[in-house]
Amino acid sequence: MNSTAMKNVAAIAPHQDAHNLAIAQLWRDRWENRVNALSNCIEHLVVDHDMTEANAELVAVQAYAELESTNQLASIDVDATTSSVVVLRTEGGRPVVFTALDLMRVLEQARNDGRAVVVDRDRRRPVVLEH
């Protein structure tokens, strides 16, 4: 392909936003555990796409959660969720309420069980729960 044709192809190629980049990387690592998949994704976004670590973490975590929730009946009700309560809608739209204290107790139990794992040990963040 000549250089003019390559420029035309590049011009019509769709722009990949950060979320799509994260989804693609996570899909490549779909057989990895959460920690490895997120670590690889964050590194990919930082190194290959010049994102800040904090932004890469957020994009990677959101993309991971989206992939994980595919075909799930339950979802988080973002309209009902606030800074102190997460509302989970189960089958039929039934609300399940998790206060910040409830979630801290879940995290503490996961820590006690050895299931709360730090993705980046040097930075001590983010923390994910392994199943």
Side-chain angles (χ1 to χ4, degrees):
M1 186 178 287
N2 65 37
S3 65
T4 303
M6 277 305 283
K7 287 179 185 174
N8 289 340
V9 170
I12 62 171
H15 173 71
Q16 289 188 311
D17 66 11
H19 181 78
N20 288 337
L21 293 168
I23 291 285
Q25 179 61 41
L26 289 165
W27 184 253
R28 285 189 286 275
D29 288 339
R30 66 188 171 275
W31 309 118
E32 294 284 340
N33 62 36
R34 278 183 176 190
V35 172
N36 292 341
L38 285 169
S39 179
N40 292 344
C41 186
I42 293 165
E43 181 178 353
H44 171 71
L45 294 173
V46 169
V47 172
D48 298 337
H49 299 285
D50 298 321
M51 292 180 76
T52 65
E53 282 194 59
N55 194 29
E57 283 176 3
L58 182 59
V59 170
V61 166
Q62 289 173 340
Y64 187 93
E66 182 177 322
L67 285 173
E68 186 179 68
S69 67
T70 301
N71 297 323
Q72 295 297 316
L73 293 178
S75 64
I76 296 172
D77 184 336
V78 295
D79 295 324
T81 297
T82 69
S83 62
S84 55
V85 66
V86 173
V87 177
L88 175 73
R89 297 281 177 181
T90 60
E91 66 285 337
R94 182 176 301 120
V96 179
V97 175
F98 296 94
T99 67
L101 181 59
D102 294 334
L103 293 172
M104 289 303 297
R105 288 179 177 149
V106 168
L107 176 59
E108 186 62 32
Q109 185 62 51
R111 283 181 175 147
N112 291 340
D113 295 345
R115 294 182 302 107
V117 183
V118 177
V119 172
D120 183 338
R121 292 187 188 276
D122 294 335
R123 296 182 62 231
R124 304 289 306 152
R125 58 184 281 183
V127 174
V128 296
L129 305 183
E130 286 288 358
H131 302 291

